[in-house]
Amino acid sequence: MLRVGLTGGIGSGKSAVAARLVELGAVLVDADQVAREVVAPGTEGLAEIVAAFSEKVLDADGALDRAALGAVVFSDEAARRRLEAITHPRVRARTAELIAAAAPDAIVVNDVPLLVEVGLAPTYHLVVVVQTAVATRLERLTRDRGMDRAEAERRIAAQADDARRRAAADVVLTNDGSLVALHAAVDTLWRQRLQPYEHNLRQRRVVPPFGRGDEVEADPGRSEQYARLAARIRHALAPADLRIDHIGATAVPGLAAADVIDVQIAVPRLADADGPLADRLANAGFPRVPGHWWDDPRPAGRGRWEKRLHGSADPGRPVRLHVREAESPGWRYALLMRDHLRADPDQRAAYLLFKRDLVDAAPPVGDSGTARDPWFDEEYLRAEQWAARTGWRP
C-alpha cells in the first residue's frame, strides 16, 4: 500500500492537512497519538519509564506527566536516549500494526512531527512537508495554543529548519494563506498524485509515457531529487549494500535534459536483478519495465550489453532505473560518459547540439537501450582518452 510521510514544523498547519487527507479517504496514523497510547496508564511502556525515571514523572492520577519527564530528559542526552530506547520500539511496533490493518488499496498517511529529524524519510513512498513562514507560525502558537512568544520561539528552534525539511520533501505544501487555499492544494495532491501513485504501485505499473520527454533547463534541484530516490532505494534493498549512482544527463550540472532521473544500481551478477530484488524495488515504487532491455556497445559491433530496467510508479517523478552488472562494460560506460561530460565543458556543449536528434535511453520495448548515433562512438573514444590521461576510475 502507498505510505506517505507527513511532517512540518510546529504551528505549520500539518494537522489541518492530515484532517483533509482523512476526509478524502486516507488512513491516518498519528505518531503523537501512538506515542501517547504506548505509555498510557497500565501499559508496559509506562511501567518501564517509571522504573527508569521514578514515580516523579507521574501525575496525581498515575498518568505520565510529560512536563515532568521533559524536565528530566531535555538537557540530559543519556536520559533522552534511555527514554527513546523504551518508547521508539513500541511506537514502531504499534505503527506497523495500524498500517497492517489498513486495506490493501489504502493510502496510509503517517503524521510524524520529527520525521526529518529522526531520518525516517526513506521509509516512505512519498514525503509531504507543510511549510509556513516563521512569523505566521509564531502568531498561531501564541494565539491558538496560548504559548508565550519565547516558548514558541524555543519550540521552533528545537526542530529542523525549513531548508532541511525541503531537502527531504517530495512535495511542499505552502500554508501561508487561507484554509480554503490549503484544502485546494491538498485536494489537487490527492487527485493528481496520491491516487494515481497508489494505483500504479498496486498494479506494478510504470508511469507513462516512459523514457520520453521534452528537454527542460538544467535544474540544480535534481541532485536533491536523486538523493531522495537513492535513499529510498537503499532502504528497500537493505541489508544488501549495492552501489547506486546518478547517471545520465540530469547527473551533469548545467546540462538541459528530459525531466527523467536516471539511476544505476550495480549487482554482482545480472541474475541477481531478478526475484527478490525486483520485488523489493517494485514495492518501493519502482516496478520492472516489461520487455528485454540492453545498451548499444561502445564502440559499435561488440554485441549487446544486457540490463534490467525499472521505472517509477510516482506520476510526479519519472525515473529510469538501470540495473547493470558491476564492472560490466555498460556499467562502466554510464559512469565514464557522465564524468567526462562533467569535466569537459566543450563536450557538454557538443552534446547539447545533438540532444534533439538523439534517442533516449529507454526506447520502445525490444529496441536497444542507448542512442544509435556516431557521436556516441566518437565521444566514447574521447572519454577513454580522457580517462587514460587523468587516471579516472569508476
Tab-separated table of all heavy atoms in Angstrom, residues 7 12 33 52 59 69-70 72 110 118 120 148 152 236 246 258 270 295 370 391:
chain	number	residue	atom	x	y	z
A	7	THR	N	4.898	15.731	7.444
A	7	THR	CA	5.568	16.434	8.529
A	7	THR	C	5.542	17.933	8.276
A	7	THR	O	5.130	18.398	7.210
A	7	THR	CB	7.015	15.923	8.703
A	7	THR	OG1	7.545	16.393	9.949
A	7	THR	CG2	7.917	16.390	7.563
A	12	SER	N	2.739	24.853	11.751
A	12	SER	CA	2.724	24.974	10.290
A	12	SER	C	1.354	24.684	9.687
A	12	SER	O	1.082	25.061	8.544
A	12	SER	CB	3.750	24.026	9.669
A	12	SER	OG	3.401	22.671	9.932
A	33	GLN	N	-0.188	10.539	18.660
A	33	GLN	CA	-1.238	9.743	19.309
A	33	GLN	C	-0.727	8.357	19.669
A	33	GLN	O	-1.006	7.841	20.763
A	33	GLN	CB	-2.445	9.633	18.387
A	33	GLN	CG	-3.621	8.877	18.982
A	33	GLN	CD	-4.823	8.878	18.052
A	33	GLN	OE1	-5.023	9.814	17.281
A	33	GLN	NE2	-5.628	7.824	18.117
A	52	ALA	N	12.671	3.463	35.132
A	52	ALA	CA	13.891	4.161	34.725
A	52	ALA	C	14.033	5.538	35.363
A	52	ALA	O	15.146	5.966	35.699
A	52	ALA	CB	13.918	4.294	33.206
A	59	ASP	N	1.670	11.937	37.191
A	59	ASP	CA	0.817	12.960	37.784
A	59	ASP	C	-0.023	12.345	38.896
A	59	ASP	O	0.119	11.157	39.225
A	59	ASP	CB	-0.059	13.633	36.721
A	59	ASP	CG	-1.037	12.677	36.045
A	59	ASP	OD1	-1.291	11.578	36.599
A	59	ASP	OD2	-1.547	13.022	34.958
A	69	LEU	N	8.567	14.682	32.865
A	69	LEU	CA	9.517	13.828	32.145
A	69	LEU	C	10.414	14.663	31.243
A	69	LEU	O	11.633	14.431	31.163
A	69	LEU	CB	8.758	12.795	31.313
A	69	LEU	CG	9.610	11.822	30.498
A	69	LEU	CD1	10.523	11.002	31.408
A	69	LEU	CD2	8.723	10.909	29.661
A	70	GLY	N	9.821	15.659	30.599
A	70	GLY	CA	10.613	16.528	29.743
A	70	GLY	C	11.698	17.264	30.493
A	70	GLY	O	12.810	17.447	29.992
A	72	VAL	N	13.298	16.167	32.955
A	72	VAL	CA	14.369	15.215	33.273
A	72	VAL	C	15.266	14.968	32.067
A	72	VAL	O	16.501	14.914	32.187
A	72	VAL	CB	13.759	13.886	33.778
A	72	VAL	CG1	14.855	12.829	33.927
A	72	VAL	CG2	13.035	14.096	35.089
A	110	ASN	N	1.232	8.837	7.458
A	110	ASN	CA	1.866	8.779	8.773
A	110	ASN	C	2.286	10.201	9.170
A	110	ASN	O	3.222	10.769	8.592
A	110	ASN	CB	3.070	7.854	8.724
A	110	ASN	CG	3.544	7.383	10.085
A	110	ASN	OD1	4.539	6.689	10.187
A	110	ASN	ND2	2.854	7.742	11.153
A	118	VAL	N	14.581	12.493	12.728
A	118	VAL	CA	14.980	11.127	13.071
A	118	VAL	C	15.292	10.280	11.841
A	118	VAL	O	15.530	9.080	11.952
A	118	VAL	CB	13.902	10.436	13.935
A	118	VAL	CG1	13.737	11.161	15.254
A	118	VAL	CG2	12.575	10.335	13.204
A	120	LEU	N	13.499	9.404	8.980
A	120	LEU	CA	12.536	8.419	8.514
A	120	LEU	C	12.143	8.579	7.048
A	120	LEU	O	11.437	7.732	6.503
A	120	LEU	CB	11.261	8.492	9.369
A	120	LEU	CG	11.375	8.013	10.814
A	120	LEU	CD1	10.058	8.235	11.540
A	120	LEU	CD2	11.773	6.547	10.859
A	148	ASP	N	3.605	31.662	25.279
A	148	ASP	CA	4.253	32.967	25.195
A	148	ASP	C	5.264	32.927	24.058
A	148	ASP	O	5.700	31.860	23.632
A	148	ASP	CB	4.889	33.373	26.522
A	148	ASP	CG	5.996	32.431	26.972
A	148	ASP	OD1	6.942	32.215	26.196
A	148	ASP	OD2	5.918	31.906	28.098
A	152	ALA	N	7.365	29.744	22.211
A	152	ALA	CA	7.114	29.398	20.816
A	152	ALA	C	8.405	29.440	20.004
A	152	ALA	O	8.668	28.548	19.186
A	152	ALA	CB	6.083	30.355	20.227
A	236	ALA	N	15.032	0.111	0.613
A	236	ALA	CA	14.279	-1.015	0.068
A	236	ALA	C	15.150	-2.254	-0.110
A	236	ALA	O	14.678	-3.382	0.066
A	236	ALA	CB	13.647	-0.620	-1.266
A	246	HIS	N	23.890	8.270	-9.642
A	246	HIS	CA	23.109	9.161	-10.501
A	246	HIS	C	23.846	9.240	-11.837
A	246	HIS	O	25.018	9.616	-11.892
A	246	HIS	CB	23.040	10.549	-9.849
A	246	HIS	CG	22.118	11.499	-10.538
A	246	HIS	ND1	22.036	12.834	-10.189
A	246	HIS	CD2	21.229	11.329	-11.548
A	246	HIS	CE1	21.135	13.433	-10.950
A	246	HIS	NE2	20.638	12.542	-11.792
A	258	ALA	N	15.792	15.874	-20.572
A	258	ALA	CA	14.414	15.466	-20.288
A	258	ALA	C	14.265	15.289	-18.790
A	258	ALA	O	15.203	14.891	-18.094
A	258	ALA	CB	14.100	14.156	-21.013
A	270	LEU	N	23.972	-10.239	-13.133
A	270	LEU	CA	22.722	-9.712	-13.646
A	270	LEU	C	21.533	-10.554	-13.184
A	270	LEU	O	20.428	-10.020	-12.977
A	270	LEU	CB	22.762	-9.645	-15.170
A	270	LEU	CG	21.665	-8.787	-15.810
A	270	LEU	CD1	21.683	-7.363	-15.261
A	270	LEU	CD2	21.829	-8.772	-17.323
A	295	ASP	N	21.901	-2.073	-23.741
A	295	ASP	CA	22.566	-0.871	-24.235
A	295	ASP	C	23.370	-1.226	-25.473
A	295	ASP	O	23.929	-2.325	-25.569
A	295	ASP	CB	23.517	-0.299	-23.171
A	295	ASP	CG	22.800	0.051	-21.885
A	295	ASP	OD1	21.817	0.800	-21.953
A	295	ASP	OD2	23.222	-0.422	-20.807
A	370	THR	N	20.364	2.493	-25.759
A	370	THR	CA	21.045	3.776	-25.910
A	370	THR	C	20.967	4.209	-27.364
A	370	THR	O	20.705	3.424	-28.260
A	370	THR	CB	22.528	3.692	-25.485
A	370	THR	OG1	23.153	2.647	-26.212
A	370	THR	CG2	22.654	3.422	-23.995
A	391	GLY	N	43.728	9.303	-15.251
A	391	GLY	CA	43.718	8.222	-14.280
A	391	GLY	C	42.341	7.948	-13.705
A	391	GLY	O	42.218	7.407	-12.600
